[in-house]
Amino acid sequence: MTVSTAYPADAEGVCVVTVDHPPVNALPVQSWYDLADAVRAAGRDPEVRCVVLAAAGRGFNAGVDIKELQRDPGNAALIGVNRGCAEAFEAVYACEVPVVAAVQGFCLGGGIGLVGNADAIVASEDAVFGLPELDRGALGAATHLARLVPQHLMRTLYYTSRTVSAAELLAHGSVWRVVPPEELPHAASELAAEIARKDGHLLRLAKAALNGIDPVDVRRSYRFEQGFTFEASLAGTAGRVRSTFGKEA
């Protein structure tokens, strides 16, 4: 099962939503919708006061399943995954309670959309963050990367497809804590449990209030970016670039 939900006995009020889609957590269309449903359900649960978004395996998220797009001769998969990503990112952002992202290994593409919309990030020492979109025939999630790093760094990372480390994001203040990989689950759960000790009603009000004062409408901004992915697809550019995926030297 790609998405599962658990309630740790040692962290009252915490729900852990875990993605597990081997080999690299590159998610197909349906899994993005499944993730959105799981996060929304957790946020609606009156007993939950904080959600931990985690992943199994060596990496947090490698974005969309490019091979699924390559197998589709039309645009159905592209439309589906763009809508699915938008739903998953929105579910994290609009979750009624705070969301803590627990990030290990690679966090790429759609992974940036998830953590960029989370309320807090705990990362392992081996975590790296980046948007390889220009190497994959796509555009998008600059909206979310801009929530993690300053504007000029965001642009440089976007244009080059380079990554930044968890330590660098810690220095920018967008990661709360960096820990050894084996300590990541405990560290994320510890922060979530601290949050969950607050009054549930006040936490929900606080989440709504903080979202309400954000300077950027993240959903509208991301959907605007996605329009250029469709333009690249219609122009044939996206397919040409995407056809090189998996063939790099």
Side-chain angles (χ1 to χ4, degrees):
M1 190 176 193
T2 300
V3 181
S4 61
T5 301
Y7 300 86
D10 60 346
E12 184 180 353
V14 174
C15 175
V16 180
V17 176
T18 303
V19 175
D20 185 5
H21 191 83
V24 294
N25 286 327
L27 302 184
V29 172
Q30 187 57 50
S31 293
W32 290 105
Y33 284 102
D34 293 343
L35 177 55
D37 289 343
V39 173
R40 288 187 179 120
R44 287 193 298 264
D45 186 339
E47 299 301 317
V48 173
R49 297 184 294 281
C50 189
V51 172
V52 173
L53 181 58
R58 58 192 179 90
F60 177 77
N61 188 284
V64 306
D65 184 352
I66 299 296
K67 293 180 179 179
E68 182 181 38
L69 299 181
Q70 290 175 330
R71 291 192 297 267
D72 180 14
N75 291 316
L78 177 62
I79 293 171
V81 80
N82 276 13
R83 288 179 175 173
C85 283
E87 288 296 312
F89 301 169
E90 167 70 7
V92 172
Y93 183 79
C95 182
E96 295 179 26
V97 298
V99 176
V100 174
V103 182
Q104 82 277 11
F106 44 82
C107 179
L108 306 172
I112 295 294
L114 295 172
V115 303
N117 271 359
D119 295 277
I121 304 168
V122 178
S124 65
E125 293 169 340
D126 65 350
V128 292
F129 302 75
L131 288 178
E133 311 307 277
L134 295 187
D135 292 337
R136 301 293 183 258
L139 296 160
T143 292
H144 311 95
L145 184 59
R147 295 166 67 85
L148 303 176
V149 298
Q151 281 288 326
H152 283 81
L153 178 55
M154 178 275 287
R155 288 171 178 256
T156 302
L157 294 173
Y158 198 82
Y159 295 144
T160 62
S161 298
R162 288 181 179 236
T163 61
V164 288
S165 68
E168 290 174 278
L169 291 190
L170 181 68
H172 286 296
S174 49
V175 163
W176 171 254
R177 188 179 173 194
V178 178
V179 298
E182 65 274 12
E183 296 180 15
L184 179 62
H186 174 73
S189 181
E190 185 177 54
L191 175 59
E194 181 178 351
I195 294 170
R197 285 194 287 272
K198 306 299 184 184
D199 180 85
H201 183 220
L202 284 178
L203 278 174
R204 283 169 165 77
L205 292 176
K207 178 67 180 276
L210 292 177
N211 282 2
I213 63 172
D214 261 340
V216 174
D217 182 333
V218 293
R219 183 177 179 86
R220 184 174 63 184
S221 180
Y222 176 58
R223 292 297 274 169
F224 176 82
E225 288 187 73
Q226 285 186 318
F228 290 95
T229 295
F230 285 113
E231 183 175 326
S233 181
L234 291 173
T237 307
R240 174 174 53 79
V241 174
R242 200 157 49 234
S243 68
T244 65
F245 178 75
K247 301 177 182 178
E248 295 93 339

